[in-house]
Structures are given as structure tokens and as C-alpha cells.
Amino acid sequence: MIVKALKGFKDILPDEANLWQDVERVARQIFHRFGYREIRVPILEKTGLFARSIGETTDIVEKEMYSFTDRNGDSLTMRPEGTAPVLRAFIEHNLQAERPVQKLYTMGPMFRHERPQKGRLRQFHQMSVEAIGADQPEIDAEIMAMASMVISELGLDVSLEINSLGCPKCRPAFNQALLDFLAENAGSLCPDCERRRYKNPLRVLDCKNKTCQARYVNAPSIQAHLCPECAAHFQAVESYLKALDIRYKVNPFMVRGLDYYTRTTFELLTNALGAQSAVGAGGRYDGLIEQLGGPALPGIGFAMGLERLTLLLAAQQRKSSQRIDIFIAALGGAALERGVLLAHALRQRGVAVVMDYAGRSLKSQMKQAARHDSRFTLIIGENELAGGQAVMRDMESHEQVDVILSEDLATWSTALAKKILA
Ligand code: HAM
């Protein structure tokens, strides 16, 4: 019997992986433009890190974590998201001492035991960004501008929804209003909501149950309960978004699936992926670093899902921009030998070269060149070689030119590399 990959765990095959690399490259360039630097953190962490940050009553912690006890008896969890590990590293390495605002990003796999469907996996990948140490509304607008820039430079079209979840000062009054509303609806809520409404009332608004969702349309809005400071912060974020010409919509019912958020939250949404509408999401988490035992510093961040971004690109029939520069089709023993040396010299000069060593027919090698999406093919036949020449074919225009195969490989390959990379 063939062993297959686990349900919700997906192989990313080469054609797809090239597209992933394109997305990662665009994102890295833009993160750099905004002053973010990469941090790489482990996949395994102590379970307590996630329970303390994401929240004990969230779906992620209650139902979705890949947790196990290791050989030492420690409870470990495969990270379900990137924020908590990055903040753990920030605190552990005292990164606040380095600069007043630390801008960090990380990329890699995350794990949640969800019901797999299109765009929803159990191992999925995020590009996760955090700005630690600034609470000004400018940084909120800047981080949303950065997320929008990634989307627009990828040529995608998604909408931005924003909200404010207030702060520990205004949350209690909102919680009370929500509790009153839930009490009026008692008996008609799902068991999860019935249980959570006492422990963490805000959490019920994230319930996926259709009946509950229909009830919560009439729930009180947090926007109406913001304290003056939070309202002013949100207003400033909005006016910066307008000034930066970033289109957005306020969604007063957006609560997010993680407990650590305060003030600004946002989601990048599409309707091209069925039920999985968020290609990215994030928000501010001003109390979290302290809650994890670190200094009292504010923070804001977001993460984008690579599966969802690449699905959107594939739906637009977008192919990776990564191509082979030249395929060397050598016909016959002497040509093959010459081709091997030339391929190596070209690769040393930055050219991507593929060749076939099996002596297949010209037709077969031309097919391979096309499959590699090669820009050029260099055909070295016995006769051409004897005459000190080869034929270079432009695979798009089908134009063919004779090129001289001089004895001086270094000079020759430098000239050819220049021509190919031009
Ligand atoms: P999140 O909303 O849980 O936030 O996830 C962010 C993004 O990861 C989602 O918008 C989606 O694109 C992708 N994603 C989440 N779950 C899955 C899944 N099962 N399959 C495929 N893609 C998925 C966070 O994780 C926060 N840590 C974001 C953040 C960073 N907030 C502040 N800083």
C-alpha cells in the first residue's frame, strides 16, 4: 500500500513552489522597505506559551492545537501561529534593548487541527509580521499600508476591514452589554457559546454556528463602547488610511479568533475562496508582551496565509516568473563533453542551465527545453561542433542564430552569459 500524506497536510509541488517563492520574494522586499527584519523561531514551543497568549477559551487552544507530551514529560505544542513564538524570542533575547521599535517578520509552517477544505489546511504557512514598541496610530496605518502593498504588488484585489476592540478600560462596559444581550438570548445559543459567555463573552461573537451567527447580528457593537482614548486612536488610524489612499470598511462585529487583541484589528478579505475569506489578518496586542512576562510594551502585527495567496494567484492563471535561461541540447559524445564544460562555466556566471546527458533525440530535448520554460536552447550538433559553431534558438520568437564556439571557454561563456542575461 502506498503511504500518503496526512489529511490536511499538503505537498507543495515544484510548479506551485516556484509561485510560493515569488510571493515570498515580493513580501520580503516590501517588508524590507518598511524596515522589518527576519527572525526565525522554532516550530515547537511549550504549550503554556499559546494557552497564555491566544487564550484558553479560543477554538485554537480548546480544539485545534497539535500538543503532545514529550519523553521528558513536558507538554509541547506545534505552533498554531507565529506571534507568540516571536514575542517569546523578543523577551528572551531582550530585543527591546536594540532599538525602540523592533520590526520583525517570520515565515513558515503553522499547525491547527481544523476541518480541511480549500484554503484551509492543518499544516499551513504564514508570513507573520510584528512591530513591537510603538502604540501610535501611525504604525497601525503603516502596517496596513504594508499589507496592502504586498497584495497590490502581487496583482491581487482584496478588501480591508477594520475594527477596534478597545482596551482593558473600555472592554468591561462592552462585556456587560454583551452579557445582557446574551442573557436575553439564553437557551437558544450553542453549547460552546453557553459555556464561553461567562468565561469570555467576546469569544461568542467568533462562533461559527449559523444559528448563533444569526443571533449576533443584533449584538451590541464595541465601536459604541470605546473609551475616548481608544475612539481617538481609531479615528486617527482612519484618517491616516484615508490620507494614504487605502480603501477600507469598518466592520464593528469583527472580533478575531485570538484573545490577545486590543484596539485596532483588521482582516484582508476575498470572496474568491469560498468560506475561507481571510487571506491575512492581524491587529494590536498592547498587553500581551507584559502578560508573557516581558516589558510593558505595545505591539501590532498581522499574518498572511501563503496557501490562500497562491490559490488566488493560481486562479488568475498566474505562472511563476522563474524560468531556466538556457537548455543545452548536445547531440553526440564530443558535443556532450563540450556542453558539460559550457554549462558549468555559464552557471558560474549566473545563468540557469539545464541539459540532458542521456543522448536523447533533438526532438525530445526540444520538448524538455519547452517543459523547463527555457528562454533559449543551445543546440550543439557534431557537424556544428566540427565547424566551431552552435545554434542558439530563442524559444519565444523561434529566431535562430549561429554562435561561434571558440576554444577559449572563459571568454566565450562570458560573452554568451552576457547575451543571455541581457
Ligand atoms: P489568524 O487570523 O489566525 O491570525 O491567521 C492569519 C492568516 O493565516 C489567516 O488570515 C489565513 O490567511 C491564514 N490561516 C489561518 N488558519 C489557516 C488554515 N487552517 N489554513 C490556511 N491558512 C490559514 C494569526 O495567526 C495572528 N498570529 C496574526 C497576527 C500577527 N496578529 C498579530 N500579529
Side-chain angles (χ1 to χ4, degrees), residues 186 200 213 229 280 347 367 413:
N200 189 352
Q213 278 176 0
E229 292 81 4
R347 288 173 185 141
K367 259 194 202 161
S413 53

Side-chain angles (χ1 to χ4, degrees), residues 151-323:
I151 294 293
S152 70
E153 291 203 14
L154 289 173
L156 296 173
D157 185 22
V158 306
S159 54
L160 172 67
E161 290 193 359
I162 67 169
N163 193 19
S164 173
L165 291 183
C167 68
K169 217 168 109 190
C170 43
R171 195 74 70 74
F174 173 67
N175 275 353
Q176 193 51 55
L178 195 54
L179 276 172
D180 296 344
F181 168 83
L182 294 171
E184 286 163 25
N185 287 278
S188 64
L189 306 178
C190 76
D192 271 350
C193 285
E194 281 298 346
R195 189 169 43 79
R196 287 173 177 170
R197 77 180 164 113
Y198 298 108
K199 286 191 179 164
N200 189 352
L202 193 65
R203 204 73 337 259
V204 302
L205 298 179
D206 188 44
C207 180
K208 313 284 183 304
N209 181 298
K210 292 261 175 301
T211 323
C212 293
Q213 278 176 0
R215 288 263 178 291
Y216 301 147
V217 171
N218 300 315
S221 143
I222 190 147
Q223 285 281 334
H225 292 81
L226 294 180
C227 64
E229 292 81 4
C230 287
H233 184 94
F234 191 65
Q235 214 174 16
V237 172
E238 279 199 77
S239 52
Y240 272 115
L241 288 178
K242 286 183 191 128
L244 296 174
D245 206 15
I246 294 165
R247 270 181 299 142
Y248 69 93
K249 197 181 115 189
V250 177
N251 173 0
F253 294 103
M254 180 207 299
V255 288
R256 311 277 301 111
L258 306 96
D259 273 353
Y260 50 62
Y261 292 112
T262 54
R263 291 195 165 172
T264 314
T265 54
F266 60 99
E267 291 186 339
L268 295 157
L269 303 168
T270 171
N271 40 30
L273 291 178
Q276 305 316 309
S277 58
V279 295
R284 184 163 275 295
Y285 42 80
D286 288 347
L288 181 57
I289 296 157
E290 196 173 13
Q291 194 183 313
L292 290 174
L297 286 173
I300 183 168
F302 70 92
M304 286 181 169
L306 272 155
E307 282 77 5
R308 295 184 190 176
L309 288 174
T310 50
L311 269 173
L312 287 181
L313 289 172
Q316 293 186 353
Q317 316 270 318
R318 287 267 287 283
K319 286 210 319 206
S320 165
S321 58
Q322 296 179 58
R323 310 175 66 181

Side-chain angles (χ1 to χ4, degrees), residues 81 83 112 114 119 121 126 130 256 260-261 278-279 301-302 305:
E81 58 114 42
T83 307
R112 297 183 193 173
E114 293 191 78
L121 287 116
Q126 283 185 346
E130 318 296 341
R256 311 277 301 111
Y260 50 62
Y261 292 112
V279 295
F302 70 92

Side-chain angles (χ1 to χ4, degrees), residues 8-186:
F9 289 66
K10 196 173 156 295
D11 298 310
I12 297 138
L13 301 178
D15 277 345
E16 232 179 307
N18 277 349
L19 203 53
W20 281 54
Q21 287 183 9
D22 291 348
V23 174
E24 288 166 5
R25 194 172 39 249
V26 167
R28 279 181 200 281
Q29 284 166 357
I30 295 174
F31 295 163
H32 173 71
R33 272 183 233 164
F34 284 78
Y36 286 79
R37 298 177 304 156
E38 186 175 13
I39 179 167
R40 301 187 185 199
V41 288
I43 283 169
L44 268 185
E45 297 276 358
K46 289 189 182 148
T47 301
L49 174 68
F50 300 111
R52 274 167 69 187
S53 52
I54 299 171
E56 301 271 7
T57 47
T58 56
D59 275 354
I60 298 178
V61 173
E62 276 189 352
K63 307 176 187 171
E64 296 169 358
M65 293 209 302
Y66 281 89
S67 300
F68 61 92
T69 308
D70 80 348
R71 289 167 195 276
N72 300 331
D74 295 325
S75 176
L76 306 181
T77 293
M78 292 167 74
R79 62 182 188 196
E81 58 114 42
T83 307
V86 167
L87 297 187
R88 194 244 339 111
F90 171 88
I91 298 166
E92 186 170 333
H93 302 286
N94 196 25
L95 293 185
Q96 77 272 17
E98 259 193 5
R99 49 190 80 196
V101 181
Q102 269 290 1
K103 292 174 152 185
L104 305 167
Y105 74 87
T106 196
M107 291 184 183
M110 311 289 159
F111 304 85
R112 297 183 193 173
H113 196 278
E114 293 191 78
R115 207 162 36 80
Q117 46 176 259
K118 186 179 170 192
R120 193 208 280 155
L121 287 116
R122 290 181 174 168
Q123 175 180 321
F124 60 98
H125 298 73
Q126 283 185 346
M127 305 190 290
S128 189
V129 174
E130 318 296 341
I132 307 162
D135 61 4
Q136 298 82 14
E138 286 81 358
I139 196 97
D140 302 38
E142 184 192 86
I143 212 163
M144 285 187 260
M146 183 168 79
S148 304
M149 206 176 278
V150 173
I151 294 293
S152 70
E153 291 203 14
L154 289 173
L156 296 173
D157 185 22
V158 306
S159 54
L160 172 67
E161 290 193 359
I162 67 169
N163 193 19
S164 173
L165 291 183
C167 68
K169 217 168 109 190
C170 43
R171 195 74 70 74
F174 173 67
N175 275 353
Q176 193 51 55
L178 195 54
L179 276 172
D180 296 344
F181 168 83
L182 294 171
E184 286 163 25
N185 287 278

